[in-house]
Amino acid sequence: MTDSPAVWASHLRKRYKKRVAVDGVSFTVGRGEVLGLLGPNGAGKTSVIKMMLGLVRPDAGEVMLLGRPNTDPRSRERVGYLPELFRYQPWLSADEVLALHVRLAGVKISGSDRRESLGLVGLADRAKDRVGGFSKGMQQRLGLAVALVARPELVVLDEPTSALDPLGRADVRDLLLSLKERDVAVLLNSHLIGEVERVCDRVVILDRGRVAAAGTLPELLGRRELRLVLTNVTAEAAALLEPFAREGDHYTVTLPDDVPALIADLVKLGVRVHAVEPARVSLEERLLDILRTQPEEL
Amino acid sequence: MTTVVTVAALTLQEASRRRVLRSLAVLTAVLLALSAWGFSEIDSDYGGLTSGEARMAGSTVLNLVMFGFSLIAALGTAFLAGPTLSGEVESGIALAMMTRPVRRAEVLVGKWLGLVGFGAGFVTVAGVAEFLIVHLTVGYWPPHPVTGLMLLAAQTAALMTLSLLFSTVISPMASGIMAVGLFGATWIAGVVGSVGEALDNPSVALVGTVSRMLLPTDGLWRGAMNSFQDPALLAQIGSGIEESPFLSMNPLTGAYLLWAAVWTALVLGLAALSFQRRDL
Ligand SMILES: Nc1ncnc2c1ncn2[C@@H]1O[C@H](COP(=O)(O)OP(=O)(O)OP(=O)(O)O)[C@@H](O)[C@H]1O
Ligand SMILES: [Mg+2]
């Protein structure tokens, strides 16, 4: 059972009235893998997640969660979920909400473990307070605790930091890294690309209901670059750098095999070298690149 | 099974913590106080229940008050049943709950059970309080209090089930209003039917019969009324002529009770089916 992937989704399709929201999306999340789900507003990320978890009926396609078809409720025994729209029974206290979810999940979690989950999201001192009086960010923190409380093997987070303060965002990043350490699979949908880039092993980019790109970070960000700050660049030296992108004194070239040799040649030609640094296309640039070139492909 | 119990307990907890309970308590207290005053007036006017007229008045007023309770119970549960399901879907509370290893039908049945428990509890407490008031003021005790209260609880359950079905398809407010509207409509249809019976007009009487089949709340209510009335009084008035909205001549038949149970199960099944298919 454990060699089956955490999520296996195949050819998911969903139409709302006339609008196609998801159009043939397939992907897998391996055990212990952190997958980032990226894409512009309305790309269908939340719809994919809801179909995956059995909240929305797909028009076509299949999903297996932790080795079981998602039509079987038991497939969700070890799944934690933080919805994009996070709301919890306002008449219950934070601790009671966790107790409820533990009971529904059918696992044995002690009161002190529940308290620990609340502590993890910074709500330890609000355990006895009614959720109705919580601020938005506190409700999202509670949602995180709910997603993590029943010892999940797969955690699905739909924009987990949308309401959090910068400190909370850093906490979530640490949480994600600790999940990764414990080999918990994570599906993370976020608009904060830095967050995704920091923690995700692999990324799926959705655009208008289709998978626009998918792969590991090195695969997606493959092109490595070298940034140079140069003055006194002669025509001869410029030819040596070709092809390059220039912004004032800043030159960007694809990473050459032998950096010291290039620098030595430049110096020999009288070029003054102020700075040399390796650079990588950021995920953000790559994402914008992919999304902007999409219309031509369609 | 644990899911059903957990959700039923949660629903009862919700009912006890939301404002519904306080409003219900206030309405009930007002009605109890009014009836206590009314009965003491009857008592002082007739000087104890000796004449047939006084018994008639006592019986009718008791049924009137019990009708008030059934209305409060109906309103209360209908407006509790609606928000509890579609409200949770709208607000997003359902999202996290439904992704636990639970079947939607189990959650629905759990809610239903909790709401029925709540309705039955209310009817019992308010009903027994009213019986005590009647007993203390005019010395009357209904012949079949337990059967009557059970029928009242069944009436509440039937309406609540319908409200639950509506709330799987329409908004919380609308489902409560629809259910209460239908409840009122069948009650009126029932009155129209009795008028038809009194006038020996079978086609008008059919209105009541048909509506009692479509929504059994009015039929169950008539059965409840029958068990609150003094049988001697009924014999005295004779049959047929004086059937009024607050007097019922005949006890319920077993077949009708069976139908009411089947009807409730059918509606609950439909609600489960409709909830199962719904996108959250
Ligand atoms: N319940 C619904 N009824 C009708 N259309 C819907 C519904 N839910 C989603 N859609 C449509 O499906 C498309 C995808 O929506 P979805 O919520 O999956 O986007 P998303 O990628 O999560 O966007 P965001 O980044 O804004 O959260 C949108 O065009 C949206 O209008
Ligand atoms: Mg979304």
Side-chain angles (χ1 to χ4, degrees):
Chain A
M1 210 53 117
T2 39
D3 43 289
S4 53
V7 183
W8 175 85
S10 165
H11 299 99
L12 288 174
R13 200 179 295 276
K14 179 72 185 177
R15 213 168 61 192
Y16 291 105
K17 306 264 161 57
K18 287 221 182 84
R19 165 162 283 123
V20 177
V22 178
D23 189 7
V25 168
S26 307
F27 64 96
T28 52
V29 184
R31 298 269 173 169
E33 184 181 45
V34 181
L35 180 80
L37 193 57
L38 296 177
N41 294 132
K45 305 179 296 292
T46 300
S47 304
V48 163
I49 288 175
K50 284 187 171 178
M51 282 190 275
M52 222 177 80
L53 296 173
L55 292 170
V56 164
R57 297 176 143 247
D59 296 330
E62 278 177 81
V63 178
M64 303 274 283
L65 293 179
L66 302 166
R68 284 204 173 96
N70 77 338
T71 44
D72 179 357
R74 284 176 304 165
S75 68
R76 298 188 295 264
E77 265 167 7
R78 294 265 165 197
V79 176
Y81 171 49
L82 169 69
E84 181 176 38
L85 180 64
F86 45 88
R87 280 266 285 150
Y88 299 88
Q89 287 76 359
W91 64 90
L92 291 181
S93 74
D95 190 51
E96 284 168 336
V97 169
L98 287 192
L100 169 69
H101 278 267
V102 165
R103 232 173 299 138
L104 290 176
V107 288
K108 286 255 170 295
I109 305 279
S110 70
S112 64
D113 283 354
R114 290 206 307 268
R115 215 60 46 76
E116 200 176 304
S117 295
L118 280 178
L120 220 57
V121 296
L123 287 177
D125 53 336
R126 306 295 295 256
K128 295 266 172 281
D129 293 358
R130 293 263 170 110
V131 175
F134 277 16
S135 74
K136 200 165 171 225
M138 284 163 64
Q139 292 209 25
Q140 193 164 35
R141 285 163 184 266
L142 175 63
L144 275 166
V146 167
L148 300 178
V149 74
R151 295 203 198 93
E153 287 168 25
L154 167 67
V155 176
V156 180
L157 304 173
D158 198 346
E159 301 193 31
T161 55
S162 57
L164 295 190
D165 55 36
L167 214 61
R169 291 184 180 177
D171 286 348
V172 169
R173 204 157 45 226
D174 294 343
L175 260 173
L176 286 169
L177 291 172
S178 82
L179 288 177
K180 199 166 161 173
E181 238 162 63
R182 280 183 285 149
D183 265 347
V184 175
V186 178
L187 179 66
L188 171 67
N189 166 21
S190 175
H191 288 297
L192 298 175
I193 300 177
E195 204 167 78
V196 172
E197 196 168 7
R198 197 86 58 94
V199 296
C200 290
D201 304 311
R202 230 152 44 77
V203 172
V204 169
I205 298 174
L206 285 188
D207 190 26
R208 275 165 283 171
R210 291 163 184 263
V211 176
T216 60
L217 280 179
E219 273 166 18
L220 279 177
L221 309 177
R223 259 173 36 222
R224 305 202 62 185
E225 295 175 331
L226 192 67
R227 288 211 190 102
L228 305 140
V229 181
L230 311 169
T231 50
N232 285 352
V233 181
T234 57
E236 204 180 344
L240 208 61
L241 290 169
E242 216 51 86
F244 64 88
R246 180 180 170 191
E247 255 179 76
D249 296 338
H250 295 251
Y251 292 75
T252 309
V253 300
T254 34
L255 190 72
D257 295 333
D258 193 349
V259 179
L262 174 71
I263 304 302
D265 290 345
L266 288 174
V267 172
K268 230 179 273 166
L269 291 171
V271 178
R272 293 175 62 83
V273 180
H274 301 268
V276 182
E277 54 179 11
R280 202 179 207 192
V281 191
S282 73
L283 184 56
E284 182 168 15
E285 285 167 309
R286 188 78 186 102
L287 180 70
L288 292 176
D289 203 29
I290 289 168
L291 296 179
R292 283 187 185 134
T293 52
Q294 276 295 301
E296 280 110 58
E297 285 176 24
L298 287 178
Chain B
M1 199 55 213
T2 43
T3 306
V4 173
V5 174
T6 304
V7 176
L10 181 74
T11 310
L12 282 175
Q13 200 175 18
E14 169 179 11
S16 69
R17 286 193 186 176
R18 294 200 103 150
R19 236 167 278 141
V20 180
L21 192 70
R22 251 166 291 158
S23 332
L24 273 183
V26 169
L27 273 175
T28 309
V30 167
L31 201 58
L32 283 174
L34 276 176
S35 76
W37 181 42
F39 278 114
S40 59
E41 286 295 309
I42 289 175
D43 192 46
S44 64
D45 283 359
Y46 293 92
L49 278 185
T50 42
S51 72
E53 258 182 330
R55 270 169 184 268
M56 172 83 181
S59 225
T60 308
V61 173
L62 173 63
N63 274 342
L64 196 64
V65 174
M66 292 312 281
F67 181 73
F69 284 140
S70 80
L71 196 65
I72 293 176
L75 282 167
T77 50
F79 280 95
L80 198 65
T84 198
L85 202 70
S86 55
E88 281 184 12
V89 171
E90 254 173 39
S91 68
I93 291 176
L95 290 177
M97 267 181 69
M98 294 302 174
T99 44
R100 291 298 168 193
V102 297
R103 286 178 198 285
R104 290 195 190 176
E106 289 175 325
V107 172
L108 188 89
V109 170
K111 285 224 174 288
W112 181 84
L113 214 58
L115 289 166
V116 167
F118 179 74
F122 168 77
V123 165
T124 306
V125 169
V128 168
E130 180 62 26
F131 293 159
L132 287 175
I133 286 178
V134 180
H135 188 64
L136 291 177
T137 49
V138 294
Y140 176 75
W141 190 256
H144 310 292
V146 176
T147 316
L149 287 180
M150 270 164 57
L151 287 174
L152 265 191
Q155 179 207 7
T156 313
L159 188 69
M160 202 267 311
T161 315
L162 187 68
S163 171
L164 209 55
L165 170 63
F166 288 150
S167 79
T168 61
V169 273
I170 48 180
S171 77
M173 228 18 180
S175 58
I177 291 170
M178 283 263 294
V180 172
L182 282 175
F183 169 78
T186 45
W187 185 72
I188 290 168
V191 174
V192 170
S194 346
V195 170
E197 269 161 38
L199 299 178
D200 264 335
N201 184 334
S203 53
V204 175
L206 193 65
V207 173
T209 314
V210 168
S211 80
R212 247 165 267 161
M213 294 305 284
L214 289 181
L215 178 62
T217 50
D218 188 55
L220 291 168
W221 159 242
R222 274 159 191 277
M225 272 200 301
N226 187 270
S227 36
F228 296 145
Q229 287 158 357
D230 189 345
L233 170 77
L234 292 179
Q236 196 178 333
I237 296 170
S239 67
I241 357 155
E242 282 291 328
E243 178 108 351
S244 84
F246 300 107
L247 270 184
S248 175
M249 293 302 155
N250 306 310
L252 287 182
T253 61
Y256 187 78
L257 280 179
L258 190 67
W259 165 243
V262 169
W263 183 93
T264 307
L266 273 178
V267 173
L268 186 62
L270 266 181
L273 214 64
S274 142
F275 188 46
Q276 186 71 43
R277 302 187 59 86
R278 179 163 184 184
D279 284 348
L280 300 180

